[in-house]
Amino acid sequence: MASSNNSKLFIYLNLLVAEYGMGIKVSILGDMYSFGILMLEIFTGRRPTDPLFQPSSSLHHFVETALPENVMEILDKTAFHGERMSKETYGEECWASIKKEQTECLVGILEIGVASSAESPRDRLTMRQVYSKLTAIREKILRAEVA
């Protein structure tokens, strides 16, 4: 039982924004960290508590090391294809139809998540920067649909 409680405590502490544990005041930069992790969770389908990440890795590191070449391997296929995805191919038939521009946009979105969840608060994006980057991605998607 003690081992189970220790692992739960480890997971909880691992989720805390690092600077809060160092005594730094709560700030918007901590919110940006949470935003970045949420973005990574949405697009990968993995939680920061996933056993894959204990104790020497993290969701942030998992995505950061996969980008940009292996973006399609880390995406949550069910989030993109839902019921259309066959269990035999795990959605690979749908991935084949994704255009280069769409893949670049997915990389851009995940890069926002990684940059927002940087370990050091001063290395994180601001929400203004996120807005600018997401707007550029949206414009790229819209241009690709017209073409």
Side-chain angles (χ1 to χ4, degrees):
M1 184 70 168
S3 175
S4 174
N5 287 337
N6 286 343
S7 64
K8 287 179 185 178
L9 178 62
F10 171 78
I11 290 170
Y12 174 74
L13 292 175
N14 203 23
L15 292 175
L16 287 177
V17 178
E19 63 266 21
Y20 295 169
M22 295 185 295
I24 297 174
K25 289 170 47 173
V26 174
S27 74
I28 291 172
L29 296 174
D31 293 340
M32 289 309 301
Y33 175 87
S34 299
F35 170 79
I37 293 297
L38 179 62
M39 294 272 294
L40 300 180
E41 283 186 71
I42 289 169
F43 284 89
T44 65
R46 295 189 180 270
R47 295 177 177 257
T49 56
D50 190 303
L52 176 70
F53 309 131
Q54 297 344 322
S56 62
S57 188
S58 66
L59 178 58
H60 172 92
H61 180 72
F62 172 73
V63 175
E64 183 178 44
T65 57
L67 294 178
E69 294 85 13
N70 298 319
V71 66
M72 302 312 274
E73 294 172 21
I74 64 168
L75 291 174
D76 178 10
K77 293 163 182 61
T78 60
F80 292 94
H81 303 295
E83 296 301 317
R84 295 185 328 169
M85 184 178 76
S86 74
K87 294 195 188 306
E88 295 79 32
T89 62
Y90 297 100
E92 289 168 18
E93 70 276 4
C94 295
W95 288 139
S97 66
I98 291 182
K99 298 175 186 168
K100 179 184 176 210
E101 293 84 8
Q102 292 170 315
T103 302
E104 290 170 355
C105 290
L106 289 168
V107 168
I109 290 168
L110 287 168
E111 285 174 341
I112 290 169
V114 167
S116 297
S117 61
E119 187 173 331
S120 173
R122 68 175 169 262
D123 293 337
R124 295 181 194 144
L125 295 177
T126 65
M127 191 49 77
R128 188 167 306 214
Q129 291 169 313
V130 168
Y131 174 79
S132 175
K133 289 176 181 292
L134 286 175
T135 300
I137 291 169
R138 182 190 69 196
E139 294 302 317
K140 186 173 190 171
I141 291 169
L142 293 174
R143 281 192 308 272
E145 287 179 359
V146 172

